[in-house]
Amino acid sequence: MGEGNGALPRDAAGSEETAEREHASDRVFRAIAAAILNRELTPEAPLPPERELSDRFGVSRIVVREAIHRLKEYELVRVRQGSPTMVLDPDRATDMRLLGLEIELMP
């Protein structure tokens, strides 16, 4: 994400850091998505706070936010500023990518 005017491209180290963060974000996304799809996290229950998820997965809160953003895109959580992030019923999701994710996460 640029910093407005004068933003410089990332150097090689910055690119590696971004790739690692994306990988960590994907890991967190998959773990939470699996918990939602397996009903370990029930619909209309609040998702644990970002700080707790950050500690649990050993990642930064930025990584957790990226994962939550993806969960929102898949219609697995509802995010409202100032309120807890809520787990949604995956049976009501209309995003077709969810089917592929379910197959991918199957044991």
Side-chain angles (χ1 to χ4, degrees):
M1 295 188 195
E3 311 258 319
N5 294 336
L8 299 174
R10 294 184 183 269
D11 60 14
S15 297
E16 286 177 22
E17 182 180 310
T18 300
E20 286 176 22
R21 188 174 76 226
E22 287 172 1
H23 181 70
S25 174
D26 189 51
R27 181 174 52 87
V28 173
F29 164 77
R30 289 174 181 281
I32 297 172
I36 293 170
L37 294 170
N38 295 330
R39 305 293 185 174
E40 295 166 27
L41 294 171
T42 56
E44 297 308 317
L47 200 62
E50 285 179 4
R51 185 177 311 261
E52 184 179 323
L53 292 171
S54 174
D55 291 343
R56 184 180 301 173
F57 290 104
V59 297
S60 70
R61 289 177 66 185
I62 292 171
V63 168
V64 170
R65 282 187 203 114
E66 290 170 353
I68 290 172
H69 179 73
R70 284 186 61 200
L71 292 164
K72 181 182 174 190
E73 288 177 352
Y74 277 73
E75 301 173 19
L76 293 174
V77 298
R78 178 180 62 238
V79 178
R80 290 195 179 139
Q81 188 171 359
S83 298
T85 298
M86 302 300 288
V87 175
L88 297 177
D89 185 346
D91 293 337
R92 294 179 177 251
T94 59
D95 192 312
M96 296 306 293
R97 295 175 297 172
L98 190 55
L99 180 59
L101 180 63
E102 287 180 289
I103 292 169
E104 214 174 291
L105 295 175
M106 286 177 72

